[in-house]
Amino acid sequence: MQRDKKRINKTAALFWALSVLCMAVIFWFSSRTANESTSQSNVFVEWLKSLFGESELWVFIVRKSAHCLEFTGLSLLFNCAWYFTRNKRSMLISILCTSLYAVTDEIHQIFVDGRSCEFRDWVIDTVGAVIGAIGFYVLYLIINAIIKRKKNK
């Protein structure tokens, strides 16, 4: 029993560390100037243009998808961290924590050359947080089903 508790505590610490690392990566991406950020996303924009043809829509899709995916990952990590810390699902808390970090991310961008604080981006980030929580819940259900199946054998 003591060994399991130590393993769970280590797992919780790992997910908290990964959450902080994800936050640092998001902060780093947000620290990039508008020109640097554009050159990063243009790799994907040009790839989409080569596949589907010219459209300014690709810039919007790539940039906003990146926002959403960053915060989907953060929410997934927060959900895992809270689960191993509290031994129960805390999806709403994880969504709120992720959304709050998205607010700080948008405020941070005010101070970066060529970047801005956008309500729309916060909404997209928060949608990403919800997607991450749903992803966590799906994984939770799958893992529990596997564990139950093994116990019944």
Side-chain angles (χ1 to χ4, degrees):
M1 186 68 143
Q2 185 69 11
R3 177 184 273 171
D4 285 344
K5 188 170 174 89
K6 282 184 179 181
R7 186 171 46 92
I8 289 170
N9 288 341
K10 285 181 181 180
T11 305
L14 172 65
F15 279 111
W16 283 116
L18 289 172
S19 297
V20 169
L21 178 62
C22 185
M23 292 166 70
V25 168
I26 291 169
F27 183 87
W28 180 78
F29 278 126
S30 293
S31 297
R32 313 283 287 165
T33 66
N35 290 338
E36 292 169 331
S37 180
T38 299
S39 68
Q40 280 180 312
S41 60
N42 274 348
V43 172
F44 297 102
V45 170
E46 293 304 319
W47 177 70
L48 287 170
K49 284 180 180 179
S50 72
L51 291 175
F52 303 109
E54 288 289 324
S55 175
E56 284 303 310
L57 183 61
W58 300 129
V59 174
F60 179 82
I61 289 172
V62 167
R63 294 185 69 79
K64 300 314 170 190
S65 295
H67 266 273
C68 188
L69 287 172
E70 289 173 332
F71 288 90
T72 297
L74 181 58
S75 177
L76 186 61
L77 291 169
F78 272 149
N79 272 283
C80 292
W82 281 113
Y83 178 77
F84 285 104
T85 299
R86 300 178 66 200
N87 198 26
K88 66 180 186 176
R89 294 184 317 270
S90 302
M91 293 166 52
L92 183 58
I93 293 171
S94 297
I95 292 168
L96 291 173
C97 289
T98 305
S99 183
L100 180 62
Y101 188 69
V103 169
T104 67
D105 181 59
E106 290 304 312
I107 293 169
H108 166 234
Q109 290 183 50
I110 293 171
F111 304 101
V112 178
D113 187 36
R115 304 291 294 269
S116 61
C117 177
E118 305 254 346
F119 177 76
R120 175 181 62 190
D121 285 350
W122 169 78
V123 171
I124 291 168
D125 298 344
T126 302
V127 168
V130 172
I131 293 169
I134 292 169
F136 167 79
Y137 188 65
V138 169
L139 287 172
Y140 174 84
L141 292 175
I142 291 169
I143 291 168
N144 274 349
I146 292 168
I147 289 169
K148 283 181 183 178
R149 187 176 302 156
K150 284 185 178 182
K151 283 183 180 179
N152 290 336
K153 285 187 175 185

